[in-house]
Structures are given as C-alpha cells and as structure tokens.
Amino acid sequence: MDEALIGALVASTLRVAAPLILCALAGLLSERAGVIDIGLEGKMLFAAFAAGTVGVWSGSTAVALLAAMGVAIVLSWLHGLACVSHQGDQVVSGVAINIIAAGLTAVLGIAWFKQGGQTPPVSDAVRIRAVFPSMADSPLFGHNALVYLALALVPAVWWMVYRTRFGLRLRAVGENPAMVDAAGVSVTRLRYAALTLNGMLCGLAGAYLVLAQNASFVPNMTAGRGFMALAAMIFGQWHPVKALWACLLFGALDAIAIRLQGVSLPMVGEVPVQAVQALPYLLTVVLLAGFIGKSVAPRALGRAYLKEH
C-alpha cells in the first residue's frame, strides 16, 4: 500500500469520523447523567435540515450553525420534558424524536423548496472550508474547523467529566440520583444541563453534514450515523477517549468501503456496491451484539428520578 493511498485513507477517516465523534460525545454526556438518548439520529438530522435551510436563507455560516444547535437543543429539551420532568419512557421518547425528524424534515423541505425534500445548495461563502488551504492535500492539515473542533472536544469533555465539580455531579446523577438530591443539588437541573450540551453537540454534527461535507440537505442524509455514534459510545464504555477510537474505527471502515467500490479482489471478483455500503452498519451490529452486555452502563441510566417529598 503506497503512501498516497494511506494518506487518502487517513484524511477520509477523519472527515467521516468527525460527525460521529460529536454525536458520540453528545450521547455520552446525556447518558452519564442517566438519560438514554436513542434520538441522536433525529437531532442530527433536524440540525442538518436547519443548517441547510437557514444557510440558504441567511447566507451566514454563523447563523446556520446557531440554527442547527438551537433546533437540536429544543429537541433535547423536548426529550427532557418527556423523560426528566414527566418520568416518561426514555427509549420511546428517543424513537419518537427520530420519527418526527425523519418525517417533518421531508415535509418541510417539500413545502418550502419544492425539490423533493432537498434544500438548495448553500453558497460557497456559507460552506466551512479547510483551515489551511495551502495544505489541502495533507491528510492531517487539510481539514475544516469542525474536524479539528471534534478532535479537540474529546480531551475537553474528558476534562469536564473527570476533572471538574460539574462532571463529578454529572457522573453522580447517572449513578445515584438520590444521593445527589440529598446533597442539595437538583437532579432535574443537572440532567437538563447535560441535555443542553447534548443538543449543542448534535447540532454541530448535523451542521457538519451540510456545511462541510455535502452542499445541501437531503432527506435521511444522516443514514444511521446517530446509531453508529451510539454504538461507538457503548463500545467505548461511556468514556470520551475510548469512544473516539471507536468512531475512528467506523470512519476507517467507511473510508475503506468507499475505496473498495468497483475494485476487483482475488477469488472474489468485483465487490458489490451493496456489500461495501453495508460494512459500517454490519460493524455496528457486531459491536452492539458483542459488547453491549460487557459494557457497564451508569447504574441509573434509563431510570426516571421522582423526588420524594
């Protein structure tokens, strides 16, 4: 394997893994606080739609990013309203967010743009370009700001979760919310804070798909990335650094799958496109089936907390 091919695979891996890293960190913060977040896929999808729509209408990258984060935060709060404030089933609420996002983005896209649910391409002025244009061909330095932000957020989230008072309380509320409540700290407030950070990261992940990867929103363009991020988070045992490696593994496999399209292998022949496209999802199933029972989740994960009076 020559250096050019290795460099191309490294660059593709980082580009593909960036939204997965952001989404996995979002799920980690939520679930460390005891709130299951199956709705990562839906929040990322709706954020992508918001970024595409507002990017076309406003012509501003900053406004498009804020719109994507705002929409995802509102969906996180909606999830919190159902599960934290009213003790609803967290899995059902997350699935509902996914269904709402898949349907409503397509309906609004058709109503507003008359292009089958797709938005018009955002202008070049709105798209997020490489930080170092002169090094665009470099596998490590030819990326946009969101790729580097995703990588930088991994140690930042690790520090926040394991080295700050807020992180200590966040982990405690995911393990023993009654103890946190007895210490005079609001369980509800902590969980909403985690969900707010969760929404911000999901918004960045969704915005990346439109402003950095593609040029416009396409219905269901997340294509299961939210579930991949969820699998990476579980495989990484709810730890930011371990989740990063899992996301890079998914990104590498996706990059290799793209390179395999149309390639003829010995004793196999040309690899079918469908088989290549299924590889990342197959790995998701394998990881969940092989490691979900071995990973130890926060003890209060999925359990609503009802304050005793």
Side-chain angles (χ1 to χ4, degrees):
M1 188 178 292
D2 58 21
E3 292 183 4
L5 180 57
I6 293 175
L9 287 175
V10 170
S12 296
T13 296
L14 292 176
R15 283 194 296 269
V16 173
L20 298 180
I21 295 169
L22 292 168
C23 212
L25 292 176
L28 183 147
L29 290 172
S30 172
E31 299 207 354
R32 275 291 183 180
V35 181
I36 296 174
D37 195 1
I38 303 294
L40 294 173
E41 177 85 0
K43 282 183 273 190
M44 184 163 47
L45 182 65
F46 224 130
F49 177 76
T53 300
V54 175
V56 169
W57 286 345
S58 70
S60 168
T61 305
V63 174
L65 284 171
L66 289 174
M69 288 191 288
V71 165
I73 289 171
V74 169
L75 289 174
S76 282
W77 287 348
L78 181 63
H79 185 50
L81 181 66
C83 304
V84 178
S85 299
H86 295 285
Q87 294 82 46
D89 188 290
Q90 297 175 8
V91 173
V92 172
S93 175
V95 171
I97 288 174
N98 291 336
I99 295 172
I100 290 170
L104 196 54
T105 52
V107 169
L108 292 177
I110 292 171
W112 291 346
F113 301 108
K114 307 294 190 298
Q115 295 183 13
Q118 183 173 338
T119 65
V122 296
S123 65
D124 287 340
V126 179
R127 288 180 57 77
I128 302 174
R129 296 297 182 182
V131 177
F132 309 106
S134 60
M135 305 178 71
D137 295 331
S138 169
L140 297 179
F141 300 103
H143 302 287
N144 62 75
L146 284 181
V147 173
Y148 298 117
L149 177 62
L151 294 173
L153 281 173
V154 174
V157 169
W158 175 88
W159 178 81
M160 184 184 71
V161 171
Y162 292 101
R163 291 293 183 269
T164 66
R165 178 179 297 180
F166 173 77
L168 175 63
R169 291 175 173 176
L170 191 75
R171 286 182 287 129
V173 83
E175 295 288 343
N176 192 341
M179 180 185 69
V180 174
D181 190 31
V185 179
S186 171
V187 172
T188 299
R189 188 178 303 167
L190 274 171
R191 287 185 168 176
Y192 270 103
L195 286 169
T196 301
L197 294 173
N198 167 285
M200 292 174 63
L201 292 172
C202 283
L204 288 174
Y208 177 91
L209 299 179
V210 173
L211 302 181
Q213 188 165 301
N214 299 323
S216 61
F217 172 83
V218 179
N220 296 312
M221 70 183 304
T222 46
R225 287 183 178 88
F227 298 109
M228 289 184 190
L230 187 66
M233 178 197 67
I234 295 171
F235 181 50
Q237 299 177 330
W238 293 266
H239 189 283
V241 178
K242 293 178 182 178
L244 165 66
W245 291 115
C247 290
L248 290 175
L249 177 61
F250 279 119
L253 187 63
D254 206 354
I256 292 171
I258 293 172
R259 296 284 171 179
L260 283 177
Q261 292 188 19
V263 174
S264 182
L265 298 178
M267 301 179 65
V268 177
E270 186 172 327
V271 181
V273 174
Q274 294 81 0
V276 170
Q277 292 174 339
L279 282 178
Y281 306 100
L282 180 61
L283 181 61
T284 303
V285 174
V286 171
L287 289 183
L288 285 177
F291 291 92
I292 195 169
K294 300 177 184 178
S295 299
V296 180
R299 284 186 294 174
L301 180 62
R303 298 196 336 236
Y305 178 70
L306 184 62
K307 183 179 177 68
E308 296 181 1
H309 298 283

